[in-house]
C-alpha cells in the first residue's frame, strides 16, 4: 500500500503574529503538491490565528495533556486543540521527554487522549548520543515504542517520528543506511505490537536537522514516509524545498 508523504513543521517556541505571513506563504506554496500532506505545529498561541490565516490548512499542537480538563495550570487538553480547529498534535518530543521528564506511559496517555479527541498524532521517539555510540539505538527506540504506542488506533491517524536526539538542531544527521535500518526496525516492531495492517498503514517520519540539501536523500531512505522539521520549517524559503523534495519522490 502506498503511503502518502507527510512533511510537518515543528515551530517549537518560535513565532508571534508577525510570523503568520510566513505560514501563509508556506501553505500557499505547498498546496499544489498533491502527493504530500503538509502540516505546521506552531506554539499554542498561534494555532487559532494560523488556521484563520490559512483556512483548510493542517495546523496542530506540539503537546497536549493526557486529561480532558482539570487542575493542570499551564497545560492544554487535546479537546481544546480540536475545539480551535487543530487537526493534529505532536507527543513525546525529546525536548519534552528530556526537558519535562515525560515517561513512555505519559506519552502513551497523551497520544490516546489526542486520538479520542479526534486529532491525528505524531509520536516521537529517538535515542541520545551515548546510546547511539554504544550500539544500542534500535533497542532503545523499540522500547520507547513498546511503552508509548497507544493500545488501539487507526493507523492513518498515528505517525511515528524517529528523531535521534543528537541530530536535533545540531546539523548532524545519521547515515541513510542507519535511518533505513532504524525505520525498518520500527515498522517490524509496529507489526508485532499492532498488527501487520497497522504497520503497513502507518507513516514513519525522520526528524533531526532535515534541510533543503539533505531532504531528498533522507526522504528516499527505506521506510521513510516523510519528515518532522524544526529549524528549517520557520520560513517558506527553507521549508518549501523540503516539501518539494518529498513531492518529487
Ligand atoms: C525537531 O525538533 O523536531 C527537529 C527535527 O528539529 P531540527 O529540524 O531543527 O533538527
Amino acid at each position: 500500500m502506498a503511503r502518502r508523504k507527510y512533511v510537518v513543521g515543528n515551530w517549537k517556541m518560535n513565532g508571534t503574529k508577525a510570523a503568520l505571513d510566513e505560514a501563509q506563504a508556506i501553505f500557499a506554496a505547498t498546496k499544489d503538491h498533491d502527493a504530500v500532506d503538509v502540516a505546521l505545529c506552531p506554539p499554542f498561541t498561534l494555532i487559532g490565528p494560523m488556521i484563520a490565516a490559512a483556512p483548510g490548512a493542517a495546523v496542530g499542537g506540539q503537546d497536549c495533556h493526557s486529561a480532558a480538563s482539570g487542575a493542570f495550570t499551564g497545560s492544554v487538553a487535546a479537546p481544546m486543540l480540536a475545539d480551535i480547529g487543530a487537526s493534529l498534535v505532536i507527543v513525546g518530543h525529546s525536548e519534552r521527554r528530556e526537558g519535562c521528564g515525560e515517561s513512555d506511559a505519559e506519552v502513551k496517555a497523551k497520544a490516546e487522549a489526542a486520538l479520542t479527541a479526534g486529532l491525528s498524532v505524531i509520536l516521537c521517539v529517538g535515542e541520545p548520543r551515548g546510546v547511539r555510540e554504544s550500539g544500542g539505538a534500535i533497542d532503545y527506540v523499540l522500547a520507547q515504542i513498546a511503552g508509548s504506542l497507544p493500545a488501539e488506533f487507526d493507523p492513518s491517524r498515528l505517525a511515528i517520528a524517529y528523531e535521534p536526539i543528537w541530530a536535533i538542531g545540531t546539523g548532524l544527521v545519521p547515515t541513510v543506511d542507519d535511518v533505513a535500518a532504524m525505520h525498518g526496525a520500527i515498522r517490524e516492531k509496529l507489526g508485532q505490537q499492532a498488527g501487520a495492517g497497522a504497520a503497513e498503514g502507518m507513516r514513519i517520519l525522520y526528524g533531526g536537522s532535515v534541510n533543503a540539501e539533505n531532504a531528498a536523500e533522507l526522504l528516499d531512505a527505506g521506510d521513510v514516509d516523510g519528515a518532522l522539521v524544526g529549524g528549517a520549517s520557520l520560513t517558506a524559503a527553507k521549508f518549501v524545498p523540503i516539501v518539494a523534495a518529498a513531492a518529487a519522490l
Side-chain angles (χ1 to χ4, degrees):
M1 183 179 73
R3 292 176 294 271
R4 287 171 58 78
K5 295 284 182 202
Y6 194 15
V7 180
V8 181
N10 171 15
W11 279 20
K12 311 194 186 195
M13 199 173 70
N14 295 293
T16 58
K17 283 184 289 182
L20 292 174
D21 287 350
E22 208 63 49
Q24 278 180 315
I26 287 170
F27 286 123
T30 57
K31 74 174 185 325
D32 293 332
H33 290 307
D34 287 341
V36 185
D37 293 330
V38 176
L40 289 179
C41 295
F44 288 132
T45 50
L46 283 186
I47 294 174
M50 195 177 282
I51 291 167
V59 179
Q62 301 167 13
D63 180 45
C64 66
H65 200 278
S66 57
S69 64
F72 302 105
T73 302
S75 295
V76 171
M80 295 171 179
L81 293 175
D83 181 56
I84 56 162
S87 54
L88 71 149
V89 66
I90 298 168
V91 298
H93 193 282
S94 60
E95 286 156 15
R96 297 204 58 88
R97 286 180 183 265
E98 295 221 309
C100 307
E102 290 186 7
S103 65
D104 285 335
E106 199 170 348
V107 172
K108 177 179 178 176
K110 289 180 178 214
E112 291 180 341
L115 293 170
T116 299
L119 300 170
S120 293
V121 171
I122 298 173
L123 195 170
C124 300
V125 292
E127 81 284 357
R129 182 193 296 265
V131 172
R132 167 61 62 178
E133 287 171 353
S134 69
I138 288 182
D139 285 348
Y140 184 95
V141 166
L142 298 191
Q144 286 184 313
I145 295 205
S148 53
L149 195 74
E152 286 179 17
F153 57 90
D154 170 352
S156 70
R157 288 178 49 215
L158 178 61
I160 302 292
Y162 167 56
E163 298 205 304
I165 297 172
W166 51 272
I168 294 178
T170 59
L172 302 171
V173 287
T175 65
V176 170
D177 285 350
D178 282 346
V179 172
M182 179 62 82
H183 281 230
I186 291 172
R187 199 171 301 284
E188 193 179 329
K189 172 72 177 165
L190 293 171
Q192 291 161 359
Q193 198 165 330
E200 181 65 20
M202 287 177 73
R203 293 183 287 193
I204 307 175
L205 316 184
Y206 168 77
S209 294
V210 177
N211 58 39
E213 287 71 44
N214 63 24
E217 189 181 34
L218 289 165
L219 287 163
D220 202 27
D223 279 297
V224 174
D225 302 307
L228 180 55
V229 184
S233 70
L234 291 169
T235 63
K238 291 184 174 171
F239 191 59
V240 174
I242 297 172
V243 177
L249 291 172

